[in-house]
Amino acid sequence: MQRQHQEFNKIESDNPFNNALAQLASVTDMLSIEPEYYEMLKSPEKEITVSLPLKLSDGSVSTFIGYRVQHNNARGPYKGGIRYHPNVTLDEVKALAMWMTWKAAIIDIPFGGAKGGITVDPKKLTLDDLERLTRKYVNAIEKDIGPESDIPAPDVNTNSQTMAWIMNEYSKLKGHNVPAVVTGKPVELGGSEGRISATGRGVAICIRESVKRFLQKDVKDVTVAIQGFGNVGSFAAKSLMEMHAKVVAISDVFGAAKAKGEKGYFEVPFEKLLEASNRLGSVTKIPGAEIISNAELLELDVDVLVPAALENQITEANARKIKSKIIVEAANGPTTPMADKILESMRVKVVPDILANSGGVLVSYFEWVQNLNRDHWLEDEVNGRLESKMVRAFKDVLDFSEKQNCDLRRAALVIAVNRVVSAMKLGGWH
Ligand code: GLU
């Protein structure tokens, strides 16, 4: 396994799949798995690419490319979101699928890992076009998804409405109502209470736990900057503000808003921030805030930095400029392997994506269980279970990293890979 470890040292890439492989290679010396299992884990079990020709509302015809990648299902059915973004590639979806396998294993739920995506800029399509594109995609991958086989969920630029269309189209194809085929549905259609806020809430729990452990501080005494104001970033901000943390900056694709004034953090109730950003079209328009760039936000002198946007935000180019002591990865893959090494040498603690944002898939699991049992839990019950599972997973990773004297990403990966390989061995995967 020494060779893979050396390969890792040479890789710096903006290809997320290369980065996911480099992360896996970086733990080979800590894993006691046979090389054949390492080989099995390097490639997804199935990669599906579909062509989706669509007549748009303006009369033109466009062909979109869609993907579903199933990485590993040793521990349970494949699970993972679907993203709509102009930069979606097969390699990105492969990386995201692999990260889902590790994520489900870390938070210890009986799912494998998958991911889907369509290369499309949803802002350029009408809602009607988006609905028909989603239904076409479901028809194209119908045989590969299902409540017992592969369960999609929301990801970047998809939401509960997208899941409602998927559930409806899949149910039509099956001839009966199948709520458990997707998670992240509207509550009216069998969605779980607390699913929409789950990923952000889990991120905030990780922040609360990490500042306690690494800075010996209470969460209300720390400053936080959040890059990204989509589902994860906005709900992370909400939970943090409810915990009285000092959120000093937030951002979206247009730029970042840094709180002005004596206090230097956003004091208004979160709902007012959200309302202003929705009404004015961007967080950069929020009254009383200084506009800075997304790059400047990453370099703010805060206790905790939360990248909650896309991959490859913290790279070899800017890692040395990071001033925060803790990075909690709300997005998938925001830190490259080379940046990881630099941050480790700077003694910055990085709480990895596969742990920090696992609250989303955890509550997806709760939703799936409720659907299979025709049950509906109260929000307090969902949040209580989320809290205890997140705290437990955080502690597992922290204890392991202290015992092995390694960073948190390696610790999380080793725990996850060992759990997955153990399931593969018990099942006789060779
Ligand atoms: N897309 C989310 C993630 O990256 C959620 C996946 C799910 O709930 O299945 O974790």
Side-chain angles (χ1 to χ4, degrees):
M1 299 295 255
Q2 193 53 36
R3 190 175 52 80
Q4 287 93 351
H5 197 60
Q6 282 161 3
E7 272 171 22
F8 161 68
N9 291 324
K10 283 185 272 163
I11 298 172
E12 167 69 1
S13 147
D14 54 10
N15 178 323
F17 189 59
N18 283 347
N19 291 343
L21 288 177
Q23 290 167 350
L24 186 59
S26 79
V27 294
T28 48
D29 56 341
M30 294 171 68
L31 290 165
S32 47
I33 62 168
E34 293 77 1
E36 56 266 32
Y37 284 94
Y38 178 74
E39 288 303 315
M40 284 183 236
L41 291 170
K42 271 166 64 180
S43 321
E45 282 160 28
K46 193 166 183 178
E47 298 169 24
I48 304 156
T49 302
V50 292
S51 161
L52 307 167
L54 187 75
K55 187 163 186 180
L56 302 174
S57 316
D58 65 5
S60 65
V61 176
S62 281
T63 298
F64 299 94
I65 303 298
Y67 305 100
R68 185 74 185 167
V69 172
Q70 299 171 331
H71 175 256
N72 183 287
N73 67 352
R75 288 173 45 90
Y78 300 108
K79 184 84 190 81
I82 292 172
R83 121 175 355 192
Y84 291 173
H85 195 277
N87 298 341
V88 164
T89 61
L90 179 59
D91 270 357
E92 183 193 42
V93 180
K94 282 166 69 174
L96 292 162
M98 185 187 279
W99 289 328
M100 283 309 303
T101 304
W102 311 145
K103 204 182 292 187
I106 274 295
I107 198 70
D108 206 9
I109 51 176
F111 281 141
K115 203 77 169 201
I118 302 179
T119 313
V120 58
D121 185 350
K123 289 178 195 77
K124 294 203 174 129
L125 295 194
T126 64
L127 198 64
D128 185 52
D129 288 342
L130 264 184
E131 174 175 350
R132 286 182 302 109
L133 180 63
T134 303
R135 290 183 186 277
K136 275 224 154 181
Y137 175 67
V138 174
N139 276 270
I141 62 166
E142 177 222 334
K143 298 274 181 297
D144 291 288
I145 61 171
E148 311 293 340
S149 53
D150 182 355
I151 304 120
D155 196 77
V156 175
N157 292 331
T158 56
N159 54 28
S160 60
Q161 177 60 77
T162 326
M163 298 308 114
W165 294 329
I166 296 177
M167 173 188 158
N168 180 269
E169 191 64 23
Y170 186 85
S171 298
K172 273 200 245 170
L173 290 164
K174 296 295 156 192
H176 57 96
N177 187 305
V178 193
V181 67
V182 278
T183 57
K185 297 176 291 291
V187 171
E188 297 87 329
L189 296 181
S192 180
E193 304 290 343
R195 173 63 186 87
I196 195 163
S197 53
T199 317
R201 180 177 280 267
V203 167
I205 292 171
C206 278
I207 293 172
R208 186 194 68 206
E209 295 302 301
S210 48
V211 299
K212 212 190 304 173
R213 289 293 285 257
F214 303 133
L215 307 179
Q216 288 76 47
K217 277 190 178 177
D218 190 279
V219 68
K220 67 177 173 25
D221 299 321
V222 297
T223 52
V224 187
I226 305 174
Q227 183 207 35
F229 207 60
N231 171 272
V232 182
S234 61
F235 278 103
K238 181 176 193 288
S239 291
L240 285 165
M241 286 169 78
E242 284 167 2
M243 292 174 179
H244 304 288
K246 300 177 170 65
V247 177
V248 303
I250 53 178
S251 79
D252 59 26
V253 283
F254 302 104
K258 184 170 173 289
K260 273 205 284 212
E262 216 178 285
K263 292 230 162 100
Y265 58 89
F266 292 110
E267 258 194 307
V268 293
F270 169 80
E271 283 66 24
K272 276 202 180 162
L273 269 188
L274 185 67
E275 188 276 322
S277 132
N278 285 344
R279 183 167 38 86
L280 302 166
S282 167
V283 298
T284 56
K285 305 259 175 63
I286 290 172
E290 179 192 344
I291 300 170
I292 58 170
S293 68
N294 261 297
E296 286 169 320
L297 178 144
L298 294 176
E299 295 163 20
L300 286 176
D301 191 1
V302 285
D303 294 309
V304 185
L305 176 64
V306 184
L310 292 167
E311 299 94 74
N312 301 334
Q313 298 302 302
I314 304 170
T315 66
E316 202 180 3
N318 63 358
R320 281 182 193 83
K321 299 185 198 147
I322 300 284
K323 293 183 198 71
S324 68
K325 299 155 202 86
I326 300 172
I327 296 175
V328 177
E329 294 184 328
N332 291 310
T335 312
T336 64
M338 285 304 283
D340 255 339
K341 288 189 152 204
I342 297 167
L343 294 168
E344 200 179 350
S345 72
M346 292 161 61
R347 310 182 86 85
V348 175
K349 294 282 184 193
V350 180
V351 182
D353 46 6
I354 55 172
L355 168 65
N357 70 33
S358 62
V361 73
L362 173 61
V363 176
S364 275
Y365 166 65
F366 297 156
E367 180 171 328
W368 183 71
V369 168
Q370 291 171 71
N371 293 158
L372 296 178
N373 291 324
R374 302 284 185 256
D375 200 354
H376 190 81
W377 304 351
L378 297 176
E379 187 167 359
D380 280 353
E381 170 152 18
V382 173
N383 289 344
R385 288 183 189 230
L386 167 71
E387 163 80 28
S388 56
K389 282 283 241 183
M390 286 299 302
V391 170
R392 172 70 192 265
F394 183 88
K395 190 176 179 307
D396 284 351
V397 172
L398 193 80
D399 289 352
F400 192 82
S401 84
E402 281 172 0
K403 206 163 75 198
Q404 299 289 318
N405 195 20
C406 70
D407 65 0
L408 298 166
R409 190 185 314 283
R410 282 202 191 84
L413 254 176
V414 171
I415 296 173
V417 174
N418 280 338
R419 286 180 183 166
V420 173
V421 170
S422 158
M424 290 165 83
K425 282 190 178 168
L426 287 165
W429 274 45
H430 42 70

